[in-house]
């Protein structure tokens, strides 16, 4: 359906006459805020307790299994969270140093992980067999548990 036909059918996304509007609120982040430890930050969805505002009071308490893949995911999450913080606090030298350390950890971990199993299609692989589909998928929880 083209845009004109969509608009003519009354599907232009208008709110009902008395619909309340949402009032978003994002707290201002102070310099050098406290941080969660990395694994907890991944589960909570933020590195910073001051920004941890659970929807309707529901708190994610589920832990990730400790595997090479989840450790790499945790480091990647820390890089992203620190990058977002540094966007608004570019002079925080401690956060910048932490950001750079996590970048190094991620690169090293990715190269080590790729030795046993390809992490991305862009990574070089060893052997004479296409192994991308040999590993368990992320949602195959039991198969992804190490140990």
């Amino acid at each position: 359906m083209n845009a004109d036909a969509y608009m003519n059918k009354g599907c232009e996304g208008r709110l009902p006459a008395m619909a309340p509007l949402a009032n978003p609120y994002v707290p201002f982040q102070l310099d050098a805020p406290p941080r969660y430890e990395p694994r907890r930050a991944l589960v909570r969805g933020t590195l910073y307790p001051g920004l941890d505002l659970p929807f309707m009071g529901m708190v994610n308490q589920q832990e990730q299994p400790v595997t090479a893949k989840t450790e790499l995911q945790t480091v990647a999450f820390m890089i992203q969270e620190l990058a977002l913080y540094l966007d608004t606090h570019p002079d925080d030298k401690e956060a910048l140093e932490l950001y750079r350390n996590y970048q190094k950890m991620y690169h090293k971990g990715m190269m080590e992980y790729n030795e046993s199993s390809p992490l991305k299609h862009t990574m070089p692989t060893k052997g004479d067999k296409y192994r991308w589909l040999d590993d368990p998928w992320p949602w195959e929880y039991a198969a992804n548990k190490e140990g």
Side-chain angles (χ1 to χ4, degrees):
M1 176 182 311
N2 69 29
D4 291 333
Y6 188 77
M7 295 294 279
N8 290 335
K9 284 190 160 233
C11 301
E12 64 275 352
R14 291 187 184 163
L15 291 172
M18 298 302 290
L21 295 176
N23 293 313
Y25 172 74
V26 177
F28 183 76
Q29 207 167 3
L30 302 175
D31 292 335
R35 293 185 292 265
Y36 284 134
E37 59 89 18
R39 291 181 47 77
R40 181 164 181 167
L42 179 65
V43 170
R44 297 306 298 250
T46 181
L47 177 56
Y48 302 101
L51 299 180
D52 191 356
L53 305 170
F55 179 69
M56 296 182 68
M58 294 183 288
V59 176
N60 184 9
Q61 298 291 350
Q62 187 175 7
E63 292 293 322
Q64 293 284 347
V66 179
T67 66
K69 195 178 280 186
T70 59
E71 291 301 308
L72 205 51
Q73 179 184 16
T74 301
V75 172
F77 180 77
M78 296 296 288
I79 291 168
Q80 184 60 42
E81 285 289 285
L82 287 163
L84 292 170
Y85 172 77
L86 287 165
D87 283 346
T88 57
H89 298 80
D91 297 326
D92 188 330
K93 296 198 183 329
E94 180 185 348
L96 181 59
E97 183 178 342
L98 196 57
Y99 173 74
R100 288 180 176 153
N101 287 338
Y102 277 114
Q103 285 178 315
K104 290 175 190 171
M105 287 172 55
Y106 182 79
H107 181 72
K108 181 180 178 205
M110 193 167 70
M111 297 314 247
E112 288 173 4
Y113 187 89
N114 197 63
E115 289 293 318
S116 62
S117 176
L119 188 61
K120 298 180 178 184
H121 285 289
T122 57
M123 300 295 292
T125 58
K126 294 182 178 178
D128 59 354
K129 181 181 177 221
Y130 181 76
R131 300 177 312 163
W132 184 260
L133 299 177
D134 290 349
D135 295 320
W137 293 94
W139 53 85
E140 295 176 310
Y141 179 75
N144 280 301
K145 288 181 96 172
E146 288 180 2

